Amino acid sequence: LKGSNFGSSHPACGCCGAAGRVNAMGRGDSRGRSRSRSRDRSRSRDRSRKDSRSPSGDRKKKPSDYGVDTMKITDDDAAFILGKGGKTKEKISRVSEAEIELFERDLILEIRGSKLQRRRAKKYAEGVMAQRTGPVHISTEYDDGDLTMLQVPQEAVGFVTGRAGNFLRTIEEEWQTLMFFCEVGGGSRNKDYEKLAIFGSVRGRRGSELKVLSAVETKVPGYYDKIRDDVMSRDRGLDETKTWGTDSMTFQDDELSYALGKQGGTRKKLERSSGAIVQYVGHTALFSGPRKERKYAREYMKWLFE
């Protein structure tokens, strides 16, 4: 079959033509299925990209008094508000629950949210900027239900602040609060104490306050006893359950070390399992939270010694 080619030398051959058509149809179907799968994948990717761009379905609805405020700031203020890696701006936004955008080129701080959220964000920003040039002055108007004011003995201020403010920043990070030392009103300054302003939610403020008090008591033993009544009654009933409060237990030296655990491990376990804030101030264990959480914390603590 010299020079033979079955595809061309048998044009009338039904078997060859049919086989060719079947193969062609097979390739066509394969290509069709491939294109179909490709379109499906493309549509899936499109939906995926669209979903990632779209706001979450359970995102909070904007409040009826949602609006936008702006603040004109200086170049130095902009750097202070932004903070290292933008952390200070994020902190102000987180504590106030407002959306904050810093336009560095125009030196404008844009604040979006409800009227209360915008008001809080603005005063937090003003407090942060004031720290750059000296003590922060605040008045009673600063309290929008988000402020705890704690007196810190002068000899403990440096200890509480930590090197370059690191101790306060650590507490802020843990409890989602904003904290700075300040002067209240226009009266003369008390040389024996400094006032520490703690801004945030009821839980955040109490967690921060008790951690600071624990450090203060280490530096100035017996200080807690002087302010015990104020600490125990603070923010009573101010949470959503209307049962917020603080309970306490007093320990001996050996009991305290056992209740604390290695590097505070036992205290942290009690806090996680009960849901309450658990902190030791001197020889006193304080449990803060709604009634149910405090009850669990006390029960779990008692189990430790059974």
Side-chain angles (χ1 to χ4, degrees), residues 150-157 181-183 188-196 216 220 222-223 226-227:
L150 179 65
Q151 283 202 136
V152 178
Q154 193 66 248
E155 59 264 45
V157 169
F181 283 98
C182 62
E183 293 182 5
S188 59
R189 185 175 178 182
N190 189 328
K191 294 181 181 179
D192 297 328
Y193 300 94
E194 294 280 354
K195 286 186 170 64
L196 178 64
V216 169
V220 187
Y223 177 66
K226 298 177 182 178
I227 61 171

Side-chain angles (χ1 to χ4, degrees), residues 250-269:
T250 303
F251 297 108
Q252 301 301 319
D253 286 341
D254 56 338
E255 294 174 328
L256 180 63
S257 59
Y258 184 68
L260 186 60
K262 188 178 180 180
Q263 296 181 335
T266 304
R267 181 192 67 80
K268 292 173 185 175
K269 287 178 183 176

Side-chain angles (χ1 to χ4, degrees), residues 71-282:
M71 292 175 63
K72 186 69 178 174
I73 59 178
T74 67
D75 195 37
D76 290 335
D77 286 337
F80 223 66
I81 288 246
L82 191 61
K84 188 176 180 180
K87 284 188 175 180
T88 303
K89 180 175 75 72
E90 290 174 6
K91 179 168 58 182
I92 294 171
S93 177
R94 184 173 61 241
V95 178
S96 66
E97 298 183 329
E99 303 167 43
I100 298 177
E101 191 68 41
L102 175 60
F103 298 96
E104 295 181 70
R105 185 174 179 179
D106 300 318
L107 295 176
I108 288 177
L109 191 67
E110 186 177 272
I111 304 169
R112 299 184 295 275
S114 69
K115 187 175 180 179
L116 180 59
Q117 289 168 345
R118 299 196 310 270
R119 174 181 162 84
R120 286 177 174 175
K122 187 177 180 181
K123 73 179 178 184
Y124 298 164
E126 288 172 345
V128 167
M129 291 187 291
Q131 293 178 75
R132 186 176 64 81
T133 55
V136 182
H137 294 270
I138 70 173
S139 66
T140 53
E141 296 176 357
Y142 255 70
D143 191 0
D144 294 307
D146 61 342
L147 172 63
T148 293
M149 195 69 74
L150 179 65
Q151 283 202 136
V152 178
Q154 193 66 248
E155 59 264 45
V157 169
F159 186 66
V160 166
T161 304
R163 187 177 180 181
N166 283 340
F167 185 63
L168 285 184
R169 302 295 83 83
T170 300
I171 297 175
E172 288 178 333
E173 189 71 26
E174 178 181 359
W175 291 103
Q176 309 291 286
T177 52
L178 180 68
M179 307 167 67
F180 48 76
F181 283 98
C182 62
E183 293 182 5
V184 180
S188 59
R189 185 175 178 182
N190 189 328
K191 294 181 181 179
D192 297 328
Y193 300 94
E194 294 280 354
K195 286 186 170 64
L196 178 64
I198 307 173
F199 294 97
S201 66
V202 171
R203 180 176 289 273
R205 297 198 313 272
R206 176 39 62 107
S208 299
E209 177 190 10
L210 294 186
K211 191 138 191 174
V212 169
L213 278 177
S214 180
V216 169
E217 190 69 14
T218 301
K219 192 72 174 176
V220 187
Y223 177 66
Y224 169 68
D225 288 335
K226 298 177 182 178
I227 61 171
R228 179 194 301 267
D229 292 342
D230 288 340
V231 173
M232 294 296 290
S233 62
R234 195 172 338 262
D235 295 330
R236 186 172 290 159
L238 290 184
D239 69 323
E240 293 178 356
T241 69
K242 306 299 182 185
T243 64
W244 183 274
T246 300
D247 298 336
S248 65
M249 293 176 68
T250 303
F251 297 108
Q252 301 301 319
D253 286 341
D254 56 338
E255 294 174 328
L256 180 63
S257 59
Y258 184 68
L260 186 60
K262 188 178 180 180
Q263 296 181 335
T266 304
R267 181 192 67 80
K268 292 173 185 175
K269 287 178 183 176
L270 286 168
E271 203 167 59
R272 284 196 299 269
S273 58
S274 67
I277 298 166
V278 179
Q279 189 58 260
Y280 303 126
V281 180

